[in-house]
Amino acid sequence: MKHEQRSNVSNSFHFPIIPLVFAFISGILAGKAVPMHPGILYAGAGVCLLRVGIAAVKDRSLWVSPLLLLFFLGWLSISVYVPHVYPDNHLAAIVQNTDRETWWKISGTVDSRPEISGRRQVLLLDVETLSNKNKQIEDPEGRLRVSVYDRETPVPFGATMTFAGRIRPIRNFRNPGGFDYEQYMAFRNVFGHAYTSNRRTVIHPQDSPFGLKHRIEAARTAVAHSIDANTGNPQAGILKALVVGLKKDIPPPVREAFNRSGVAHLLAISGLHVGIVAGVAYVLFFRLLGWVPALLWGAWVRKGAALIALICVAGYGLIAGMSPATQRAVIMVSVFLIAIVIERDHSLMNTLALAALVILIVDPPALFSVSFQLSFAAVFFIIYGMTAVQGMIVGLKNRWIRAATGFIMVSCFAIAGTMPLTMHYFNQAAFLGLFSNCLLIPLIGFGAIPVALCGAFVHLVSSTAAGWFFTISGILVKAGLVVTEVIAGLPFAATKTITPNALEVFCYYGALWGILTLVGRQLGTSPKSESSQSGAVLGARPHGILLLARIPLALPVAVLGITLLVMTMDIGYWVNRRFFHDDLRITVLDVGQGNAAVVEIPGGKCMLIDGGGFAGSTTFDVGERIVAPFLWRNKIAHVDIIVLTHPDTDHVGGLAYITENFHVADVWETHEPKDTDEYRAFRQAVVESKAASPAFIDLPRTRMIRNVRFDILYPLANVGTKGGPPFQQSANNNSLVTRIAMGEVSFLFPGDIMAAAEAELSTMAGNQLQSTVLMAPHHGSKTSSTAVFLNRVRPSIVVVPAGWDNRYGYPHAPVLDRYRKMNADVYITGRHGAVILTTKGRRVNVETPFIRADS
């Protein structure tokens, strides 16, 4: 009897799928890092498959070959998205091998809802034909991202679209550690971007929805309209995000409130939402089916409830649009429900691993998505954490206390499991997340979502009845929004954080696993757990605790020791790099057509000269998307000085976000007025942050910080004051010019000054202008970099902050010729990426993402 019990326990906790999942994941990672010819991979997979087949015939146990087989299959699966060589009819090859000025006639089917921003709509196009005067390509591989301007009504999903335009390659901003937008779009099968206007576009909407996909889209649109008609804003935007997956109508302040409250996950359809739907449906129909004698006697109540819950989950996924995140959640929950239907004796860990394997087989790039990582990290640590503490929970005699404790512990483990990823991807830590989840998950998750989903399904029969459900759900969401805003308004609710790197995230998870394992072993052997009543949580002597007890004590202790050692070394490295370095570092960022340079001063102080920006863009904040991530990745949380050369959008656009989130101490600027949204936002942020922003006339013309000298050379100190010279008509010629010097090396930042200001500055400063490195005035425009000015500066290195393929044609050829005639090394951010300049006062070291040079 004892032998049989040990055998059952052993079988219950043998996890054959877990190593297979890790092998498949390893193959995906290898394939992304090293694209290889498919023939080699097929050969490797074939050999492994043959060995597995032979072992199966001979009834032999085999481990290495199955793992290698999954490894090769993982490598093959991702090779579709990062191929060794693109075929000639692939959009990536077409864009790469065609002159960028070529005009194409493009025809295809709209394959996404348009994202509307102002007068622009952005959509994905499944291309059917491409043609120009030289050739025609039928059914090319890949999709296009298309921007349509000046169209008043949304482009219908599924419509046929024909237009003429140029195709641009998808391209990254090339900054160290920056977001890989090219890879992200390739994983979505998008390999080019085309632009057109409504007048150049012919659109043929479908007369009626055809095919399942288009019928579902029509139903989603109808449900969204019904939500709008029966609820007010902003709760309508929240409900549409939760029911039909449309997040665009959630106002930014509401998003920020949910972020600060630690419940941002409630706004995205994820495993939590799908799990709630499955749980509510299962419990409801389990109760209802229990009243049917035939099902009760046939032992079909449990399986029937699981089947109906499975149908509800699938329906929710379809009405929510089956985004990649929703697909993963539906698959993960469906695996759990199917296990109930087929009465499979399973472990939660094995089921979780099976769900991950299924998802990655269907969609290999899912491994690199934030939602996949967050979902599985949360579920893994909920399962493992609850296994560790269930010995304590089952000892609680009051069932209500047990239930409340279990709910709180689940929330704790979910937050602990996702915290490093949240910090890595979103740079935010919410301190009240546990409290917020305890209030808002019941209110929105178990209240608003099920009611709204009932409305969505009822809408198929009666739009009037559906409206009642949406009204009730809207009231619940409004109550939740009030709670969220109150919590978010607390000054200690959340804070922005620096970015933990992959090593730090790995160490955190290793330490968390070690701690939970030790806690589980301790609680599992305590007298309380021995005497617990069976069935309280997962059993009197939970099998999970037996599993933890079988883990050698030395393993978690060793993991904790190693992670502690590595983290200590990592912290020491970053503290030294940030606060004890003795070199001057200047990184001229690739921000497109704009200026932004990070100056790291010996001793840890940081200066930011300009913040980049795109005129008229309401969807892409350079400060939020480029400058801030660079600072956080380099463990910079404070910007001591912001220097705004002049208030044009391509210099000031990103500074409001930086001022709001980086504890700025001082602001240097001329205070030239500018009637733009970007400059007004920056000035408001300066006032609210209480950063020092003295009048230009009060700024010290020279300042020394740790052996680094900062000189303000232009314009005149009393410019724009009463009795002083007025600002020049062109804002460019009023740029604040700064020279930074350390030892024998100096850097000149002239902003966008043009010929007139260059002449005046050359007269005023004379030989003081001489600098080792020159930031090209006005992005290398032919209106700047005059011979007189360059003869005063005499740079040996010129950095041109100009966007790749910018519409102005910067830098202009005559200007580049002038630089080269002076024997200056020229670096262009749009071509070389970020330019990193370091010096200890004797010479300059120059690095870019592609080349290195010493000068």
Side-chain angles (χ1 to χ4, degrees), residues 696-715:
F696 184 60
I697 195 172
D698 296 327
L699 278 178
R701 312 327 275 178
T702 297
R703 182 177 297 188
M704 291 292 297
I705 304 176
R706 293 293 295 265
N707 298 322
V708 179
R709 175 175 172 139
F710 298 85
D711 291 303
I712 296 177
L713 304 179
Y714 191 81

Side-chain angles (χ1 to χ4, degrees), residues 8-214:
N8 288 339
V9 171
S10 176
N11 290 335
S12 296
F13 294 100
H14 184 54
F15 298 144
I17 298 178
I18 292 177
L20 297 178
V21 172
F22 278 109
F24 196 79
I25 288 174
S26 299
I28 292 176
L29 294 173
K32 181 177 181 292
V34 185
M36 189 174 290
H37 193 282
I40 300 174
L41 301 175
Y42 278 116
V47 171
C48 294
L49 184 60
L50 180 62
R51 287 182 56 82
V52 170
I54 294 173
V57 171
K58 295 184 177 181
D59 196 22
R60 293 178 180 174
S61 178
L62 201 64
W63 269 108
V64 176
S65 292
L67 292 177
L68 285 176
L69 175 62
L70 267 292
F71 175 78
F72 282 118
L73 291 178
W75 200 326
L76 272 169
S77 68
I78 200 67
S79 65
V80 176
Y81 301 90
V82 284
H84 181 67
V85 178
Y86 286 105
D88 291 340
N89 70 330
H90 197 287
L91 278 174
I94 295 169
V95 172
Q96 183 178 358
N97 299 328
T98 307
D99 185 88
R100 64 188 183 187
E101 298 303 318
T102 299
W103 278 77
W104 294 90
K105 183 177 180 181
I106 305 167
S107 181
T109 302
V110 177
D111 202 29
S112 73
R113 287 174 174 269
E115 297 178 4
I116 302 173
S117 177
R119 63 187 187 90
R120 184 178 75 156
Q121 300 185 31
V122 179
L123 52 89
L124 299 181
L125 189 73
D126 187 4
V127 182
E128 296 168 1
T129 60
L130 275 176
S131 61
N132 57 35
K133 60 183 179 180
N134 297 321
K135 57 184 173 181
Q136 179 166 321
I137 303 170
E138 298 290 338
D139 198 23
E141 296 183 36
R143 297 190 295 177
L144 277 181
R145 186 174 186 264
V146 181
S147 292
V148 183
Y149 290 87
D150 301 324
R151 181 178 174 85
E152 295 182 359
T153 58
V155 179
F157 180 91
T160 300
M161 181 176 174
T162 303
F163 65 96
R166 300 184 182 95
I167 301 177
R168 296 285 186 261
I170 302 294
R171 190 178 181 279
N172 292 332
F173 292 101
R174 295 174 177 171
N175 297 300
F179 177 60
D180 193 346
Y181 183 61
E182 294 176 26
Q183 188 68 83
Y184 169 78
M185 295 303 286
F187 285 161
R188 299 180 67 192
N189 199 31
V190 178
F191 295 92
H193 196 155
Y195 301 83
T196 185
S197 63
N198 189 54
R199 63 181 177 82
R200 296 203 314 261
T201 306
V202 178
I203 297 175
H204 300 286
Q206 297 297 329
D207 294 332
S208 60
F210 65 95
L212 179 62
K213 185 174 182 179
H214 296 86

Side-chain angles (χ1 to χ4, degrees), residues 278-310 337 340-343:
V280 170
Y282 179 82
V283 171
L284 175 63
F285 286 102
F286 183 85
R287 300 289 186 187
L288 292 176
L289 296 180
W291 291 92
V292 181
L295 296 176
L296 191 61
W297 287 105
W300 260 94
V301 172
R302 187 164 174 257
K303 291 188 286 186
L307 274 175
I308 297 175
L310 188 62
L337 293 172
I340 295 175
V341 173
I342 64 177
E343 296 185 321

Side-chain angles (χ1 to χ4, degrees), residues 620-636:
F620 192 92
D621 187 323
V622 171
E624 179 183 6
R625 303 288 187 89
I626 300 177
V627 181
F630 175 83
L631 295 171
W632 282 322
R633 281 193 302 271
N634 286 278
K635 316 300 185 188
I636 298 173

Side-chain angles (χ1 to χ4, degrees), residues 212-280:
L212 179 62
K213 185 174 182 179
H214 296 86
R215 292 182 184 277
I216 291 172
E217 284 301 318
R220 294 178 67 211
T221 300
V223 169
H225 289 164
S226 183
I227 291 174
D228 284 330
N230 291 280
T231 56
N233 287 320
Q235 52 266 35
I238 297 174
L239 272 181
K240 284 188 288 186
L242 297 177
V243 177
V244 293
L246 301 178
K247 297 182 285 186
K248 179 120 180 103
D249 292 339
I250 301 177
V254 172
R255 289 179 183 273
E256 181 60 22
F258 274 78
N259 287 335
R260 283 185 55 80
S261 300
V263 288
H265 57 91
L266 286 176
L267 297 179
I269 297 173
S270 62
L272 171 66
H273 304 75
V274 178
I276 288 172
V277 171
V280 170

Side-chain angles (χ1 to χ4, degrees), residues 320 361 526 648 834:
I361 290 173
S526 67
D648 282 356

